[in-house]
Amino acid sequence: MKIGIALGSGSARGWAHIGVMNQLAEMGIKPDVVAGSSIGSLVGAAYASQSLEAFEQWVLGLDSKSIIKLLDITWGKGGLIEGEKLFDLLSQTMEDDEIASLPVRYGAVATDMGSGREVWFQEGPVSEAVRASIALPGLFTPAHRDGRWFLDGGIVNPVPVSLCRAMGADVVIAVDLNSDIIGKHLRAFKHPEEKNADEDFLLNSPFLKQIFRHFSVSPEKDSLLSKFFKSGKSKPEPGLYEVIASSVNIMQVRITRSRMAGDPPDVLVSPRLSHIGLMEFDKAAEAIKEGASAAKRAQTALEYFSRQ
């Protein structure tokens, strides 16, 4: 029996995948197949290339300053971040092997921008597969390969159970990072003057200062930005950022539920991560811990299916 694991999308919440994989190892469960979507493709690549330990150490060393240094801002290319700095650094953490040469069978999901179809990367360089899978619309620029443009895999298949089965997995463990995020921004909203985690990171980080330099706008004096991220002062209503973020969350959750209804995993691991914002990549320790806890909560099912 081959055990497969489908690592789902979720941006900064994706570091929880590391905790799940570590906890599985403690249980003596070693997946033979790993399929990843978006951030799940990145962690999955680290596992499949047997670089997860080194990758975890790199992730735990991230802070807001180091994250900002990795953001190579670009304009007119379909996204805010080019991604070259990030992947140059990742290439030092784990080798950029061919997918076919990896010791663990690996696949990544991306979205064909031209057709809207789901694309499975099961051959070629690992870096190209990951880059295509994590091209989050508006954030990372689309990935280009063989004359086609690719977007984030979470758009079409946030938790790639189907890919796992297609690669030969008899038992599929799915890790869903988005099970508790619907309404997150509204739950966090208590008063018009308060900010949620994402908003605080964005409004007060050097990330925006780089952006403002391109527009010659001072973040301290800019009222338009505040209107974008904050709700009105007169009454506690959601701001534009809350509306956009909540809409993306709802779409991913609904797609995940629909896909799983048609092709359910044998075991579902659901870390509770709604408190971690979209860009809070510096909360790795917290996310990894919750990932391990989520795997422990599913231990009975995990051990049962792993013995089949």
Side-chain angles (χ1 to χ4, degrees):
M1 295 287 288
K2 289 186 178 181
I3 298 176
I5 187 162
L7 303 178
S9 60
S11 195
R13 295 184 288 270
W15 299 150
H17 289 315
I18 299 173
V20 172
M21 302 306 295
N22 289 342
Q23 188 59 39
L24 290 181
E26 286 192 22
M27 297 177 187
I29 300 172
K30 297 181 179 180
D32 307 287
V33 174
V34 58
S37 182
S38 193
I39 190 70
S41 71
L42 176 58
V43 179
Y47 173 79
S49 62
Q50 297 183 339
S51 305
L52 189 61
E53 185 176 351
F55 182 73
E56 180 180 2
Q57 293 306 310
W58 174 74
V59 165
L60 288 171
L62 290 175
D63 55 25
S64 58
K65 292 183 179 180
S66 59
I67 293 170
I68 297 303
K69 290 179 180 178
L70 293 174
L71 304 183
D72 42 0
I73 305 299
T74 183
W75 303 102
K77 293 187 177 182
L80 288 176
I81 302 169
E82 185 74 27
E84 291 185 3
K85 288 184 179 180
L86 172 63
F87 279 90
D88 285 345
L89 183 59
L90 287 175
S91 65
Q92 301 172 22
T93 306
M94 53 185 182
E95 294 183 10
D96 183 19
D97 298 319
E98 291 287 315
I99 294 176
S101 69
L102 295 176
V104 176
R105 190 159 189 191
Y106 169 80
V109 176
T111 304
D112 187 318
M113 187 175 175
S115 66
R117 293 177 180 174
E118 178 178 342
V119 179
W120 293 348
F121 284 82
Q122 301 178 72
E123 58 184 22
V126 174
S127 61
E128 290 188 8
V130 175
R131 179 64 181 85
S133 188
I134 68 168
L136 189 64
L139 186 61
F140 280 99
T141 56
H144 190 258
R145 179 180 176 182
D146 299 329
R148 301 158 71 187
W149 292 99
F150 295 97
L151 298 173
D152 195 282
I155 297 173
V156 290
N157 196 353
V159 185
V161 175
S162 54
L163 174 55
C164 232
R165 294 199 192 283
M167 290 193 296
D170 301 298
V171 173
V172 176
I173 303 165
V175 185
D176 180 11
L177 304 176
N178 303 317
S179 62
D180 66 338
I181 60 173
I182 288 183
K184 171 226 172 180
H185 296 280
L186 293 180
R187 289 197 301 271
F189 183 78
K190 297 179 180 179
H191 188 275
E193 295 298 326
E194 294 183 2
K195 300 186 291 290
N196 60 46
D198 286 341
E199 178 188 321
D200 184 66
F201 175 85
L202 289 166
L203 289 174
N204 298 294
S205 73
F207 173 67
L208 281 183
K209 292 182 180 179
Q210 292 189 44
I211 294 177
F212 284 133
R213 277 199 290 269
H214 287 271
F215 289 111
S216 299
V217 177
S218 170
E220 289 78 15
K221 299 179 181 179
D222 182 63
S223 59
L224 179 61
L225 183 71
S226 295
K227 290 178 181 179
F228 185 89
F229 287 105
K230 300 178 183 178
S231 59
K233 295 182 178 180
S234 58
K235 55 182 178 180
E237 61 185 21
L240 181 57
Y241 176 77
E242 281 82 5
V243 172
I244 294 174
S246 295
S247 298
V248 172
N249 290 341
I250 291 169
M251 285 189 288
Q252 287 209 61
V253 170
R254 298 299 296 179
I255 293 171
T256 299
R257 290 177 181 174
S258 177
R259 296 294 299 253
M260 285 190 182
D263 190 7
D266 297 287
V267 183
L268 179 60
V269 179
S270 301
R272 298 163 184 166
L273 301 162
S274 65
H275 59 289
I276 295 181
L278 179 73
M279 298 180 67
E280 292 187 293
F281 291 99
D282 55 332
K283 288 193 174 182
E286 191 174 342
I288 292 171
K289 181 179 179 180
E290 173 53 26
S293 297
K296 287 180 182 178
R297 293 193 292 270
Q299 184 167 355
T300 300
L302 287 167
E303 291 180 342
Y304 171 78
F305 281 102
S306 66
R307 291 195 298 266
Q308 298 303 304

